[in-house]
Amino acid sequence: MEEWLKITLCVSLFASFRDFRPVDSFYTSYLTSPAVNFTAEQVTEDIYPINSYATTSLVIIMFLVTDFVLYKPIVMLDALSSIVMFLLVLEPVTLFKSKLSMLFLGLTSASELAYMSYAYAKIRDRRLYQKMTGIVRGSNLLGKCLSSTFAQIAVSYLHIEYGLLVYISLTGSIVAFAVTFFLPPVKSSIYFHPESPKTANPKVNYNTFHNQHNKDLGQCFDEKSPMPVRVVFDQLYSELRDAYTNPYLLKYGIWFAFATGVYFQVLTYNDVLYLELNERNPVNNKLYNGGVDALAFITGALSSYFIGFLKVDWKSTSDLFLFVGSLLSCITLCVCYVTTSLNLVYIMYIMFCFVFQSMNVVARSETAKNLKHDSFAFIFGVVFFISLVVSSVITYLFVQGTIIAIPVSQQFLLYGLINGGLALWFFFKICIKKMYS
């Protein structure tokens, strides 16, 4: 078996077990069940926001540390922090332990870029990136789909208690942690541990930054000599400037920041909305969270695969595509606000995930294609951080009620209006282009 395929399969195995977390689909139900007995308000306002704040605080730091320690230790930390999180929410659960668990969940989320960055660092042939990304992304979604399917069957047909789902999720994280021991170490990285001039890829030789600042060091700089921190920050600034002085990349960056921030909010608070609608009408609004999540992940995977093979001139059609997608996202989320039917909310959620994943593939692929350097992880790390800031600001101002506390259904209206604002912006861009064409 070829080396790149071995690495891809190892990373894919890690991604599958990392996201095999059946309790996620019913986590709010677990925390509000008699076994734990928190109120919905405690879950929404006191517990969940800590995850958002922790992830936002840690993501940029984790990216830089990931490069410095050569990726693999952070991949291991990703799984280990997930193990600690589930250990903290084993019964009996206290409010302090549940809040602390969200801190470790934030650490897991902030470390998520590490395993994809590891794969890019180990597989140097860029021609293989599309295949590798497709396999790893598919494995990630497969893990989520199997997790959600198992959760729904366990709750609806086997009548397993939510607490047992925590133990099963913990097992998945333990297996993911075990897989990390089979990942071969990375010997160099773009920023802190670049290759020596003799072995570095001439297309992206970051040692030129080092040579400009340290002309007297000559060839003493090899792959075991870490880059000076000042030089690293010069590199980071240069790449960020190159990326976002490009209007085409800036457009995708703005969409990604706001749309992904909203996506995080929807994933965090969707089952709070489900539970509220279920409590209003338990007979007609039965909970099928696991099955719906499985459908959402499968449709998202199919849309990602389909979009990946489309032959489209995105530079000429991207504004229209992003306008239609943002408008559909706006409509689906606003319907979640106006309806009292949980089944209709489920349908809107699946449609929203389908649209978001389709747009996400285009935004990522077009950004990666148009970057000057191999700085995919850094550029998306920055945008990921901004999207988390958007999510945290929404949480702080409207979920926790610093300005005004709004009910969960009205939160979905707010998420829809943010996507509506993006749709309006792309519509104006289309109109302006037609006026000057």
Side-chain angles (χ1 to χ4, degrees), residues 112-129:
E112 186 173 356
L113 287 172
Y115 70 85
M116 282 304 302
S117 300
Y118 166 86
Y120 286 120
K122 284 297 294 180
I123 301 171
R124 306 306 300 273
D125 189 349
R126 294 185 67 178
R127 293 171 298 180
L128 299 171
Y129 280 7

Side-chain angles (χ1 to χ4, degrees), residues 161-214:
E161 294 183 356
Y162 299 128
L164 185 55
L165 295 181
V166 179
Y167 283 94
I168 297 169
S169 302
L170 174 62
T171 303
S173 297
I174 291 172
V175 174
F177 182 64
V179 170
T180 62
F181 287 95
F182 296 94
L183 296 174
V186 176
K187 296 181 180 178
S188 64
S189 62
I190 288 178
Y191 302 114
F192 287 102
H193 302 278
E195 293 177 314
S196 63
K198 293 181 181 179
T199 59
N201 183 348
K203 183 179 179 181
V204 189
N205 185 358
Y206 288 105
N207 292 311
T208 54
F209 287 93
H210 182 272
N211 294 336
Q212 288 170 4
H213 290 82
N214 302 274

Side-chain angles (χ1 to χ4, degrees), residues 133-164:
T133 305
I135 294 170
V136 174
R137 181 63 178 162
S139 300
N140 171 261
L141 291 171
L142 177 63
K144 291 184 176 183
C145 176
L146 292 175
S147 171
S148 303
T149 304
F150 175 83
Q152 189 63 61
I153 293 171
V155 170
S156 297
Y157 299 103
L158 303 179
H159 305 291
I160 288 177
E161 294 183 356
Y162 299 128
L164 185 55

